[in-house]
Amino acid sequence: MTTLTTAPAVPAARAAAVHDVAPVLPVVGGDTLVPLVDGRQVPYANLDVAASAPALQAVADRVARVLPLYASVHRGAGYLSQVSTALYETARRTIGAFVGAREDDLTIVTRNTTDSLNLLAGCVPADPATGEPGRVLVLDIEHHANLLPWQRVTDATVVTGGPSVSATLAEIEEELSSAAAAGRPYALLALTGASNVTGEALPVADVVAAAHGAGARVVLDGAQLVPHRRFSLVETGVDYVAFSGHKTYAPFGAGALVGRRDWLDAGTPYLAGGGAVRRVRTTTTEWHEGPARHEAGSPNVVGAVALAAACDELAALDPWVAGEHEDALRRRLVDGLGDVERVEVVHVWDDAVDPVGVVTFTVSGYDPGLVAAYLSAEHGIGVRDGRFCAHPLLGRLGFDAGAVRASVGLGTAGEEVERLVAAVRSLVTEGPQARYDVVDGLWVVVDDPRPVPEGSGLEGLLATAALGADEAFGCLPDDL
Ligand SMILES: Cc1ncc(COP(=O)(O)O)c(C=O)c1O
């Protein structure tokens, strides 16, 4: 008789179909109908949440309540100016608390993650020994927003990650400790909280331990993490986090940088202008410390209030419910797409755990731009295609020609995911039904018959000719 000392390996269960999975929270426009090329109308399946998430209904409601009270911020003695200032400063506290700010951390309201990381890049202290720009370590998996700011104003080193999480962690540790031993320590490690290409991430605790052990601070690009997972600066020991309102269900133009005060108080003011200064003479300027130092000009009070409203909603949510919802949709996307012939699902690592709801894939024989145009025109599905502002990673993984990305969030219904899987399968088995062509680098439907949204009151702003054209979407194909 054989005695089993360890449990036999159990193959991971295949994800069940998710037709009946409902959104966790209501979003504005969740039931918007869009036209298809065959003349039908279907509910829009927004599977491009990682690019910009729809507004939570609660966010839109709060903004509607605040607008009648809106007036100048920090600049007026008028009653509504004071109300607006109080709303803005309360929003700042809510945003900071949402990411577990330490008592002495600053919360700076920015435009988005890109803005936040550019701001921090200007505050990385010079190497005290040489006076040269501070050293920053970055992985090649980063979104350009977490790569280019460091390359421009700091002494940045980009490390190519390994095929597994553990190999990548080992590379980071080795680079940090050998730089410290050589007397050229890194000031900062800049890392994504979740990849915008695959949703995967490194374990934050290990990264923080390695960086702090070598005397470096950590900034987390939280653009894809903060909207989808509970994150806390104080609990993780991460020094700075940057994130975007428009990805956190609050598309009103605000983002945030939250973290340690000393660098921010000593750094070059991000914008020069009114509100950032204590005293100005014709030849000298005395700058504020605190958030004001980096928030010159009239702040985006509506954006900050909207972001704080989203933070309130997400904080009140049961994290287990939110995580289960997203995980079920993600697993179904990975398994469902993976079962379709000629489809390849992209991974950075073979041992990543707990990825967020972002799934990137290719369909062999079809350009990613054509796949995205087909999903829109024939199935009413919105996805992203291209290189996702992560050219180094896509190049390393062998997807220089781009890929297609589907992403989900709290407002996503299981039906949308099932529709995508079925649509990709039908593309592979039957091919597209409409005719497509490349115009100025973008795939479009030939003689696209889809009308502009009717009854929206925006008809005059949406000339049919502009739909699908570069300028309508601000798309620069080479750049994406
Ligand atoms: C991981 C990641 N970082 C940074 C950004 C830049 O965000 P934003 O465009 O809001 O500045 C994005 C946007 O897609 C992202 O996914």
Side-chain angles (χ1 to χ4, degrees), residues 291-352:
R293 182 180 188 83
H294 299 288
E295 290 184 5
S298 295
N300 178 2
V301 60
V302 175
V305 164
L307 179 50
C311 292
D312 282 341
E313 287 301 299
L314 297 185
L317 209 61
D318 181 337
W320 191 85
V321 171
E324 274 294 292
H325 171 261
E326 188 170 305
D327 196 45
L329 299 186
R330 181 184 202 283
R331 282 188 293 116
R332 175 62 184 145
L333 276 172
V334 171
D335 287 354
L337 290 170
D339 282 346
V340 179
E341 217 185 315
R342 291 161 59 181
V343 169
E344 181 181 358
V345 176
V346 178
H347 298 284
V348 183
W349 298 302
D350 52 22
D351 56 349

Short mmCIF file of all heavy atoms in Angstrom, two decimals, residues 291-352:
data_model
loop_
_atom_site.label_atom_id
_atom_site.label_comp_id
_atom_site.label_asym_id
_atom_site.label_seq_id
_atom_site.Cartn_x
_atom_site.Cartn_y
_atom_site.Cartn_z
N PRO A 291 1.52 71.03 1.07
CA PRO A 291 0.94 70.78 -0.26
C PRO A 291 0.93 72.03 -1.13
O PRO A 291 1.11 71.94 -2.35
CB PRO A 291 -0.49 70.34 0.05
CG PRO A 291 -0.53 69.98 1.47
CD PRO A 291 0.60 70.65 2.16
N ALA A 292 0.72 73.20 -0.52
CA ALA A 292 0.62 74.43 -1.30
C ALA A 292 1.85 74.66 -2.17
O ALA A 292 1.77 75.22 -3.26
CB ALA A 292 0.40 75.63 -0.37
N ARG A 293 3.01 74.22 -1.67
CA ARG A 293 4.27 74.41 -2.42
C ARG A 293 4.17 73.87 -3.84
O ARG A 293 4.78 74.42 -4.77
CB ARG A 293 5.39 73.67 -1.66
CG ARG A 293 6.78 73.78 -2.26
CD ARG A 293 7.74 72.99 -1.38
NE ARG A 293 9.12 73.18 -1.74
CZ ARG A 293 9.89 74.20 -1.34
NH1 ARG A 293 9.38 75.14 -0.57
NH2 ARG A 293 11.14 74.27 -1.72
N HIS A 294 3.40 72.79 -4.00
CA HIS A 294 3.33 72.13 -5.31
C HIS A 294 1.99 72.31 -6.01
O HIS A 294 1.73 71.66 -7.02
CB HIS A 294 3.63 70.64 -5.14
CG HIS A 294 4.99 70.38 -4.57
ND1 HIS A 294 6.15 70.56 -5.29
CD2 HIS A 294 5.39 69.99 -3.32
CE1 HIS A 294 7.20 70.27 -4.54
NE2 HIS A 294 6.77 69.91 -3.34
N GLU A 295 1.14 73.16 -5.45
CA GLU A 295 -0.22 73.30 -6.03
C GLU A 295 -0.49 74.72 -6.49
O GLU A 295 -1.59 75.26 -6.29
CB GLU A 295 -1.28 72.88 -5.00
CG GLU A 295 -1.32 71.40 -4.70
CD GLU A 295 -2.47 71.03 -3.74
OE1 GLU A 295 -3.28 71.90 -3.38
OE2 GLU A 295 -2.51 69.85 -3.33
N ALA A 296 0.48 75.35 -7.13
CA ALA A 296 0.26 76.74 -7.58
C ALA A 296 -0.91 76.80 -8.55
O ALA A 296 -1.21 75.84 -9.25
CB ALA A 296 1.53 77.25 -8.25
N GLY A 297 -1.54 77.97 -8.58
CA GLY A 297 -2.71 78.15 -9.45
C GLY A 297 -3.98 77.70 -8.73
O GLY A 297 -3.91 77.10 -7.66
N SER A 298 -5.11 78.01 -9.32
CA SER A 298 -6.38 77.65 -8.66
C SER A 298 -6.55 76.13 -8.68
O SER A 298 -6.47 75.52 -9.74
CB SER A 298 -7.56 78.29 -9.39
OG SER A 298 -7.45 79.69 -9.27
N PRO A 299 -6.77 75.53 -7.52
CA PRO A 299 -6.85 74.06 -7.49
C PRO A 299 -8.17 73.54 -8.06
O PRO A 299 -9.15 74.27 -8.18
CB PRO A 299 -6.73 73.73 -6.00
CG PRO A 299 -7.14 74.95 -5.29
CD PRO A 299 -6.89 76.12 -6.18
N ASN A 300 -8.15 72.27 -8.37
CA ASN A 300 -9.32 71.59 -8.94
C ASN A 300 -10.20 71.08 -7.81
O ASN A 300 -10.14 69.91 -7.42
CB ASN A 300 -8.83 70.44 -9.83
CG ASN A 300 -9.98 69.64 -10.43
OD1 ASN A 300 -11.14 69.95 -10.22
ND2 ASN A 300 -9.63 68.60 -11.17
N VAL A 301 -11.02 71.97 -7.27
CA VAL A 301 -11.82 71.60 -6.10
C VAL A 301 -12.84 70.51 -6.46
O VAL A 301 -13.04 69.56 -5.69
CB VAL A 301 -12.48 72.83 -5.44
CG1 VAL A 301 -13.41 73.54 -6.38
CG2 VAL A 301 -13.21 72.44 -4.18
N VAL A 302 -13.45 70.62 -7.63
CA VAL A 302 -14.46 69.62 -8.01
C VAL A 302 -13.79 68.25 -8.19
O VAL A 302 -14.31 67.22 -7.75
CB VAL A 302 -15.21 70.05 -9.30
CG1 VAL A 302 -16.16 68.95 -9.75
CG2 VAL A 302 -15.96 71.35 -9.05
N GLY A 303 -12.61 68.26 -8.81
CA GLY A 303 -11.89 67.00 -8.99
C GLY A 303 -11.52 66.38 -7.66
O GLY A 303 -11.65 65.16 -7.47
N ALA A 304 -11.06 67.20 -6.73
CA ALA A 304 -10.66 66.68 -5.41
C ALA A 304 -11.87 66.13 -4.66
O ALA A 304 -11.80 65.05 -4.06
CB ALA A 304 -9.97 67.77 -4.60
N VAL A 305 -12.99 66.86 -4.72
CA VAL A 305 -14.21 66.40 -4.05
C VAL A 305 -14.68 65.08 -4.66
O VAL A 305 -15.09 64.15 -3.96
CB VAL A 305 -15.31 67.48 -4.14
CG1 VAL A 305 -16.67 66.91 -3.81
CG2 VAL A 305 -14.97 68.65 -3.23
N ALA A 306 -14.59 64.98 -5.99
CA ALA A 306 -15.02 63.76 -6.67
C ALA A 306 -14.13 62.58 -6.27
O ALA A 306 -14.61 61.49 -5.97
CB ALA A 306 -14.97 63.95 -8.18
N LEU A 307 -12.82 62.82 -6.24
CA LEU A 307 -11.91 61.74 -5.86
C LEU A 307 -12.17 61.30 -4.42
O LEU A 307 -12.17 60.10 -4.11
CB LEU A 307 -10.45 62.19 -6.07
CG LEU A 307 -9.37 61.18 -5.70
CD1 LEU A 307 -9.61 59.81 -6.30
CD2 LEU A 307 -7.99 61.70 -6.13
N ALA A 308 -12.40 62.29 -3.55
CA ALA A 308 -12.69 61.94 -2.14
C ALA A 308 -13.99 61.15 -2.04
O ALA A 308 -14.10 60.21 -1.24
CB ALA A 308 -12.77 63.21 -1.30
N ALA A 309 -14.97 61.50 -2.87
CA ALA A 309 -16.25 60.76 -2.85
C ALA A 309 -16.00 59.30 -3.27
O ALA A 309 -16.55 58.37 -2.66
CB ALA A 309 -17.26 61.41 -3.78
N ALA A 310 -15.16 59.12 -4.28
CA ALA A 310 -14.84 57.75 -4.71
C ALA A 310 -14.12 57.01 -3.59
O ALA A 310 -14.40 55.83 -3.33
CB ALA A 310 -13.98 57.79 -5.97
N CYS A 311 -13.20 57.71 -2.93
CA CYS A 311 -12.48 57.07 -1.81
C CYS A 311 -13.47 56.64 -0.72
O CYS A 311 -13.36 55.53 -0.18
CB CYS A 311 -11.45 58.05 -1.21
SG CYS A 311 -10.08 58.42 -2.33
N ASP A 312 -14.44 57.50 -0.41
CA ASP A 312 -15.44 57.15 0.60
C ASP A 312 -16.20 55.89 0.20
O ASP A 312 -16.43 55.00 1.02
CB ASP A 312 -16.45 58.30 0.77
CG ASP A 312 -15.88 59.43 1.62
OD1 ASP A 312 -14.90 59.20 2.36
OD2 ASP A 312 -16.42 60.56 1.53
N GLU A 313 -16.61 55.84 -1.08
CA GLU A 313 -17.38 54.69 -1.55
C GLU A 313 -16.55 53.41 -1.47
O GLU A 313 -17.02 52.38 -1.03
CB GLU A 313 -17.82 54.91 -3.00
CG GLU A 313 -18.92 55.91 -3.17
CD GLU A 313 -20.17 55.52 -2.40
OE1 GLU A 313 -20.74 54.45 -2.67
OE2 GLU A 313 -20.56 56.29 -1.49
N LEU A 314 -15.29 53.49 -1.94
CA LEU A 314 -14.45 52.29 -1.96
C LEU A 314 -14.12 51.84 -0.55
O LEU A 314 -14.06 50.64 -0.26
CB LEU A 314 -13.18 52.54 -2.77
CG LEU A 314 -13.38 52.86 -4.26
CD1 LEU A 314 -12.05 52.98 -4.99
CD2 LEU A 314 -14.24 51.81 -4.94
N ALA A 315 -13.91 52.82 0.34
CA ALA A 315 -13.56 52.46 1.72
C ALA A 315 -14.73 51.77 2.41
O ALA A 315 -14.53 50.93 3.30
CB ALA A 315 -13.13 53.71 2.49
N ALA A 316 -15.95 52.12 2.00
CA ALA A 316 -17.13 51.54 2.67
C ALA A 316 -17.46 50.15 2.12
O ALA A 316 -18.31 49.45 2.66
CB ALA A 316 -18.34 52.46 2.46
N LEU A 317 -16.79 49.78 1.04
CA LEU A 317 -17.09 48.51 0.38
C LEU A 317 -16.41 47.35 1.11
O LEU A 317 -15.29 47.50 1.58
CB LEU A 317 -16.49 48.62 -1.02
CG LEU A 317 -17.13 47.85 -2.14
CD1 LEU A 317 -18.56 48.29 -2.35
CD2 LEU A 317 -16.32 48.11 -3.42
N ASP A 318 -17.08 46.21 1.14
CA ASP A 318 -16.44 45.02 1.70
C ASP A 318 -15.33 44.59 0.72
O ASP A 318 -15.63 44.22 -0.42
CB ASP A 318 -17.51 43.92 1.82
CG ASP A 318 -16.95 42.64 2.42
OD1 ASP A 318 -15.72 42.44 2.32
OD2 ASP A 318 -17.75 41.85 2.96
N PRO A 319 -14.06 44.64 1.16
CA PRO A 319 -12.98 44.34 0.22
C PRO A 319 -13.07 42.92 -0.34
O PRO A 319 -12.66 42.65 -1.45
CB PRO A 319 -11.70 44.51 1.04
CG PRO A 319 -12.10 44.74 2.44
CD PRO A 319 -13.58 44.93 2.50
N TRP A 320 -13.66 42.01 0.45
CA TRP A 320 -13.78 40.63 -0.01
C TRP A 320 -14.74 40.56 -1.19
O TRP A 320 -14.46 39.94 -2.21
CB TRP A 320 -14.27 39.74 1.14
CG TRP A 320 -14.17 38.29 0.81
CD1 TRP A 320 -13.06 37.51 0.95
CD2 TRP A 320 -15.18 37.47 0.24
NE1 TRP A 320 -13.34 36.24 0.51
CE2 TRP A 320 -14.64 36.19 0.06
CE3 TRP A 320 -16.51 37.70 -0.14
CZ2 TRP A 320 -15.36 35.13 -0.47
CZ3 TRP A 320 -17.23 36.64 -0.68
CH2 TRP A 320 -16.65 35.37 -0.83
N VAL A 321 -15.86 41.27 -1.08
CA VAL A 321 -16.86 41.26 -2.16
C VAL A 321 -16.26 41.85 -3.42
O VAL A 321 -16.37 41.29 -4.52
CB VAL A 321 -18.11 42.05 -1.73
CG1 VAL A 321 -19.06 42.25 -2.91
CG2 VAL A 321 -18.82 41.35 -0.58
N ALA A 322 -15.58 42.98 -3.28
CA ALA A 322 -14.98 43.64 -4.44
C ALA A 322 -13.92 42.75 -5.07
O ALA A 322 -13.86 42.59 -6.29
CB ALA A 322 -14.37 44.98 -4.01
N GLY A 323 -13.09 42.15 -4.24
CA GLY A 323 -12.00 41.30 -4.75
C GLY A 323 -12.54 40.07 -5.45
O GLY A 323 -12.08 39.68 -6.51
N GLU A 324 -13.57 39.43 -4.84
CA GLU A 324 -14.17 38.23 -5.44
C GLU A 324 -14.76 38.54 -6.81
O GLU A 324 -14.62 37.78 -7.76
CB GLU A 324 -15.31 37.72 -4.54
CG GLU A 324 -14.83 36.81 -3.45
CD GLU A 324 -14.28 35.51 -4.02
OE1 GLU A 324 -15.05 34.71 -4.55
OE2 GLU A 324 -13.06 35.32 -3.91
N HIS A 325 -15.44 39.67 -6.89
CA HIS A 325 -16.09 40.07 -8.14
C HIS A 325 -15.05 40.21 -9.25
O HIS A 325 -15.14 39.61 -10.31
CB HIS A 325 -16.82 41.41 -7.90
CG HIS A 325 -17.36 42.04 -9.14
ND1 HIS A 325 -16.72 43.07 -9.79
CD2 HIS A 325 -18.48 41.80 -9.85
CE1 HIS A 325 -17.43 43.42 -10.86
NE2 HIS A 325 -18.49 42.68 -10.91
N GLU A 326 -14.02 40.98 -8.95
CA GLU A 326 -13.00 41.24 -9.96
C GLU A 326 -12.24 39.96 -10.31
O GLU A 326 -11.93 39.71 -11.48
CB GLU A 326 -12.05 42.31 -9.43
CG GLU A 326 -11.10 42.79 -10.48
CD GLU A 326 -10.34 44.01 -10.00
OE1 GLU A 326 -10.98 45.00 -9.59
OE2 GLU A 326 -9.10 43.95 -10.00
N ASP A 327 -11.98 39.17 -9.29
CA ASP A 327 -11.22 37.95 -9.51
C ASP A 327 -11.99 36.96 -10.39
O ASP A 327 -11.43 36.33 -11.29
CB ASP A 327 -10.89 37.33 -8.14
CG ASP A 327 -9.79 36.31 -8.27
OD1 ASP A 327 -8.80 36.63 -8.95
OD2 ASP A 327 -9.93 35.20 -7.73
N ALA A 328 -13.30 36.86 -10.13
CA ALA A 328 -14.11 35.93 -10.94
C ALA A 328 -14.11 36.38 -12.40
O ALA A 328 -13.97 35.55 -13.31
CB ALA A 328 -15.54 35.89 -10.40
N LEU A 329 -14.24 37.67 -12.63
CA LEU A 329 -14.26 38.17 -14.01
C LEU A 329 -12.91 37.97 -14.66
O LEU A 329 -12.80 37.58 -15.83
CB LEU A 329 -14.65 39.65 -14.03
CG LEU A 329 -16.03 40.01 -13.47
CD1 LEU A 329 -16.34 41.49 -13.70
CD2 LEU A 329 -17.14 39.16 -14.08
N ARG A 330 -11.85 38.24 -13.91
CA ARG A 330 -10.51 38.11 -14.48
C ARG A 330 -10.21 36.65 -14.84
O ARG A 330 -9.72 36.35 -15.92
CB ARG A 330 -9.46 38.62 -13.49
CG ARG A 330 -8.07 38.52 -14.05
CD ARG A 330 -7.00 38.93 -13.09
NE ARG A 330 -5.82 39.28 -13.84
CZ ARG A 330 -4.99 38.40 -14.39
NH1 ARG A 330 -5.21 37.11 -14.25
NH2 ARG A 330 -3.95 38.80 -15.08
N ARG A 331 -10.52 35.75 -13.91
CA ARG A 331 -10.21 34.34 -14.17
C ARG A 331 -11.00 33.83 -15.37
O ARG A 331 -10.50 33.06 -16.18
CB ARG A 331 -10.47 33.50 -12.93
CG ARG A 331 -9.33 33.65 -11.90
CD ARG A 331 -9.44 32.70 -10.74
NE ARG A 331 -10.60 32.99 -9.92
CZ ARG A 331 -11.63 32.17 -9.75
NH1 ARG A 331 -11.67 31.00 -10.33
NH2 ARG A 331 -12.65 32.52 -8.99
N ARG A 332 -12.22 34.30 -15.50
CA ARG A 332 -13.03 33.87 -16.65
C ARG A 332 -12.43 34.42 -17.95
O ARG A 332 -12.41 33.73 -18.97
CB ARG A 332 -14.47 34.37 -16.46
CG ARG A 332 -15.38 34.11 -17.62
CD ARG A 332 -15.56 32.62 -17.90
NE ARG A 332 -16.37 32.44 -19.09
CZ ARG A 332 -16.21 31.47 -19.98
NH1 ARG A 332 -15.26 30.56 -19.79
NH2 ARG A 332 -16.97 31.38 -21.03
N LEU A 333 -11.93 35.65 -17.91
CA LEU A 333 -11.29 36.21 -19.11
C LEU A 333 -10.07 35.38 -19.49
O LEU A 333 -9.88 35.02 -20.65
CB LEU A 333 -10.85 37.66 -18.84
CG LEU A 333 -11.90 38.75 -19.01
CD1 LEU A 333 -11.36 40.10 -18.52
CD2 LEU A 333 -12.34 38.86 -20.47
N VAL A 334 -9.24 35.09 -18.50
CA VAL A 334 -8.00 34.34 -18.78
C VAL A 334 -8.33 32.96 -19.32
O VAL A 334 -7.81 32.53 -20.36
CB VAL A 334 -7.12 34.25 -17.52
CG1 VAL A 334 -5.95 33.30 -17.73
CG2 VAL A 334 -6.63 35.62 -17.11
N ASP A 335 -9.24 32.24 -18.64
CA ASP A 335 -9.56 30.88 -19.07
C ASP A 335 -10.36 30.88 -20.37
O ASP A 335 -10.11 30.09 -21.27
CB ASP A 335 -10.36 30.14 -17.98
CG ASP A 335 -9.46 29.77 -16.80
OD1 ASP A 335 -8.23 29.99 -16.91
OD2 ASP A 335 -9.99 29.27 -15.79
N GLY A 336 -11.36 31.76 -20.44
CA GLY A 336 -12.23 31.80 -21.63
C GLY A 336 -11.45 32.18 -22.87
O GLY A 336 -11.56 31.53 -23.91
N LEU A 337 -10.63 33.22 -22.79
CA LEU A 337 -9.83 33.64 -23.95
C LEU A 337 -8.77 32.58 -24.24
O LEU A 337 -8.49 32.27 -25.40
CB LEU A 337 -9.18 35.00 -23.69
CG LEU A 337 -10.15 36.20 -23.66
CD1 LEU A 337 -9.44 37.45 -23.16
CD2 LEU A 337 -10.74 36.45 -25.05
N GLY A 338 -8.18 32.04 -23.17
CA GLY A 338 -7.11 31.06 -23.35
C GLY A 338 -7.60 29.80 -24.07
O GLY A 338 -6.82 29.10 -24.71
N ASP A 339 -8.91 29.53 -23.95
CA ASP A 339 -9.48 28.34 -24.61
C ASP A 339 -9.71 28.57 -26.10
O ASP A 339 -10.00 27.62 -26.82
CB ASP A 339 -10.83 27.98 -23.97
CG ASP A 339 -10.64 27.26 -22.65
OD1 ASP A 339 -9.50 26.82 -22.38
OD2 ASP A 339 -11.62 27.15 -21.90
N VAL A 340 -9.66 29.81 -26.53
CA VAL A 340 -9.93 30.09 -27.95
C VAL A 340 -8.66 29.83 -28.75
O VAL A 340 -7.59 30.32 -28.39
CB VAL A 340 -10.40 31.55 -28.15
CG1 VAL A 340 -10.66 31.83 -29.64
CG2 VAL A 340 -11.65 31.84 -27.33
N GLU A 341 -8.80 29.08 -29.80
CA GLU A 341 -7.65 28.78 -30.67
C GLU A 341 -7.03 30.08 -31.16
O GLU A 341 -7.77 31.04 -31.44
CB GLU A 341 -8.18 27.98 -31.86
CG GLU A 341 -7.26 26.90 -32.35
CD GLU A 341 -7.84 26.28 -33.61
OE1 GLU A 341 -9.06 26.00 -33.59
OE2 GLU A 341 -7.10 26.11 -34.56
N ARG A 342 -5.75 30.13 -31.29
CA ARG A 342 -4.99 31.27 -31.82
C ARG A 342 -4.92 32.47 -30.86
O ARG A 342 -4.41 33.52 -31.22
CB ARG A 342 -5.55 31.74 -33.18
CG ARG A 342 -5.29 30.69 -34.26
CD ARG A 342 -6.16 30.85 -35.47
NE ARG A 342 -6.02 32.15 -36.12
CZ ARG A 342 -6.72 32.51 -37.20
NH1 ARG A 342 -7.57 31.67 -37.74
NH2 ARG A 342 -6.55 33.69 -37.73
N VAL A 343 -5.49 32.31 -29.66
CA VAL A 343 -5.39 33.42 -28.69
C VAL A 343 -4.27 33.13 -27.71
O VAL A 343 -4.15 32.02 -27.20
CB VAL A 343 -6.72 33.62 -27.92
CG1 VAL A 343 -6.53 34.58 -26.75
CG2 VAL A 343 -7.79 34.13 -28.86
N GLU A 344 -3.44 34.15 -27.48
CA GLU A 344 -2.40 34.02 -26.46
C GLU A 344 -2.62 35.09 -25.39
O GLU A 344 -2.76 36.27 -25.71
CB GLU A 344 -1.01 34.21 -27.08
CG GLU A 344 0.11 34.05 -26.08
CD GLU A 344 1.50 34.25 -26.67
OE1 GLU A 344 1.60 34.47 -27.89
OE2 GLU A 344 2.46 34.22 -25.91
N VAL A 345 -2.67 34.65 -24.13
CA VAL A 345 -2.82 35.61 -23.03
C VAL A 345 -1.42 35.95 -22.51
O VAL A 345 -0.58 35.07 -22.33
CB VAL A 345 -3.69 35.00 -21.90
CG1 VAL A 345 -3.76 35.95 -20.70
CG2 VAL A 345 -5.10 34.71 -22.42
N VAL A 346 -1.19 37.25 -22.30
CA VAL A 346 0.15 37.73 -21.96
C VAL A 346 0.38 37.66 -20.44
O VAL A 346 -0.49 38.06 -19.66
CB VAL A 346 0.31 39.20 -22.43
CG1 VAL A 346 1.67 39.77 -22.04
CG2 VAL A 346 0.08 39.30 -23.94
N HIS A 347 1.56 37.17 -20.04
CA HIS A 347 1.97 37.19 -18.63
C HIS A 347 3.37 37.76 -18.54
O HIS A 347 4.18 37.55 -19.43
CB HIS A 347 2.01 35.77 -18.05
CG HIS A 347 0.69 35.09 -18.04
ND1 HIS A 347 -0.28 35.40 -17.14
CD2 HIS A 347 0.18 34.14 -18.84
CE1 HIS A 347 -1.35 34.65 -17.38
NE2 HIS A 347 -1.09 33.88 -18.42
N VAL A 348 3.65 38.46 -17.47
CA VAL A 348 5.03 38.89 -17.24
C VAL A 348 5.77 37.79 -16.48
O VAL A 348 6.90 37.46 -16.79
CB VAL A 348 5.09 40.19 -16.40
CG1 VAL A 348 6.53 40.66 -16.25
CG2 VAL A 348 4.26 41.29 -17.04
N TRP A 349 5.11 37.25 -15.47
CA TRP A 349 5.74 36.26 -14.60
C TRP A 349 4.90 34.98 -14.57
O TRP A 349 3.68 35.05 -14.72
CB TRP A 349 5.87 36.82 -13.17
CG TRP A 349 6.73 38.03 -13.10
CD1 TRP A 349 8.03 38.11 -13.50
CD2 TRP A 349 6.37 39.32 -12.62
NE1 TRP A 349 8.50 39.38 -13.29
CE2 TRP A 349 7.51 40.15 -12.75
CE3 TRP A 349 5.21 39.87 -12.08
CZ2 TRP A 349 7.52 41.49 -12.36
CZ3 TRP A 349 5.21 41.20 -11.70
CH2 TRP A 349 6.36 41.99 -11.84
N ASP A 350 5.58 33.86 -14.26
CA ASP A 350 4.80 32.62 -14.20
C ASP A 350 4.32 32.31 -12.79
O ASP A 350 3.64 31.31 -12.57
CB ASP A 350 5.62 31.45 -14.77
CG ASP A 350 7.00 31.35 -14.13
OD1 ASP A 350 7.16 31.88 -13.01
OD2 ASP A 350 7.91 30.76 -14.75
N ASP A 351 4.66 33.16 -11.81
CA ASP A 351 4.26 32.84 -10.43
C ASP A 351 3.62 34.04 -9.72
O ASP A 351 3.67 34.16 -8.50
CB ASP A 351 5.48 32.36 -9.63
CG ASP A 351 6.62 33.38 -9.65
OD1 ASP A 351 6.54 34.34 -10.45
OD2 ASP A 351 7.58 33.23 -8.87
N ALA A 352 3.00 34.95 -10.50
CA ALA A 352 2.40 36.14 -9.87
C ALA A 352 1.13 35.74 -9.12
O ALA A 352 0.41 34.86 -9.56
CB ALA A 352 2.07 37.17 -10.94
#
